[in-house]
Every structure is written in structure tokens, then in C-alpha cells.
Amino acid sequence: MSGHSKWATTKHKKAVIDSRRGKLFAKLIKNIEVAARLGGGDTSANPTLYDAITKAKKNSVPNDNIDRAVKRGSGAEAGGADYQTIMYEGYGPNGVALLIECLSDNRNRAASDTRVAVLATAATWLIQVQFLTCLNVKVLSWCPKAHQLKKRSWM
């Protein structure tokens, strides 16, 4: 039994769902802002912005939030963070080379979070290549049997 009040159970379930949706919405809005900043606020001239808006609409982000994000990113409205793309190189388990691309408004936090994630997977940290934020992780692995370079990409 869930206890005396059924509303208590419903409230806790809704809180978990709302938390997940909020994180997803924030990520999608950030992508819209960055796309608008890099290519302008016009969706017909900016295919990256068009794709970001399409993904946001698929995930039920309100149109008002999308419009505000486009305005913030294109500079028509004040506010919004200055997101930067950061690239890191490192080696994973068994000497697998990692190229990690991140998107963040804080370089120090991005470096710390990326370092923790890499070290938590028993990998070794190599160097920071260039300040850019975590959009994409590409793994280049060398297969000693086939003597060829294999390329894998996540996200």
C-alpha cells in the first residue's frame, strides 16, 4: 500500500517526471540559444537552428520558451549565458583515444566535470586542446589485429 493518501504518491511521481522534463527542456533551450548565436535567428537561413527547434517541439517545449531562446541567442533580447565549446583529448581504458567536445558557460566547471567523468571510467587524462562545451564524444580506437583505425561516435 502507498499509505494514507494517494495524492502523496502522485505528487512524488509528478516531481520526478517534472525534474526530468526540466533538465531536458534546459538542454534543448541551450542548444537553440547556441544555434541562434552562431548562425542568426532566421530558421530558413540557419539549418542548425531549424533542427534544434524541431527537436524541442518533438519534446513538447512550449513555443514561448523557444521564441525567447531564439531572441536571447540572436541578441534581440538581453540575458542568456555566453556558451563556449571546449574540446578535450584523453585516453580511455586499453589506450582508446577520446576526443570530447563540450558546451558550457563556465570553463572551470566543464573541465572539472569532464575530468571526473573520464577518470571515473578508469581512463587517464591527457591534455586540454581548446576551449569549446559536452556535445559529442568521439572515440578513435586502434585494433591491433586488423591494423586499422576504427571511428565511433556517441550522441
Side-chain angles (χ1 to χ4, degrees), residues 38 46 53 56-57 86 101 108 119 130 133 135 147 149:
L38 295 177
N46 188 350
I53 290 174
K57 286 185 177 185
I86 307 166
E101 183 181 6
N108 295 331
L119 293 177
Q130 182 182 8
T133 310
L135 301 175
H147 297 293
L149 194 65

Side-chain angles (χ1 to χ4, degrees), residues 74-148:
S74 62
E77 185 177 300
D82 182 27
Y83 294 109
Q84 301 171 345
T85 306
I86 307 166
M87 303 248 325
Y88 299 100
E89 286 182 5
Y91 287 108
N94 299 323
V96 175
L98 300 173
L99 181 61
I100 303 167
E101 183 181 6
C102 303
L103 181 65
S104 177
D105 57 345
N106 186 330
R107 293 179 182 184
N108 295 331
R109 185 179 60 229
S112 174
D113 291 348
T114 307
R115 186 176 292 114
V116 166
V118 170
L119 293 177
T121 59
T124 58
W125 191 252
L126 179 63
I127 57 170
Q128 179 174 339
V129 177
Q130 182 182 8
F131 288 103
L132 292 174
T133 310
C134 221
L135 301 175
N136 202 351
V137 177
K138 292 183 181 176
V139 177
L140 299 173
S141 63
W142 185 67
C143 181
K145 291 183 181 176
H147 297 293
Q148 60 185 357

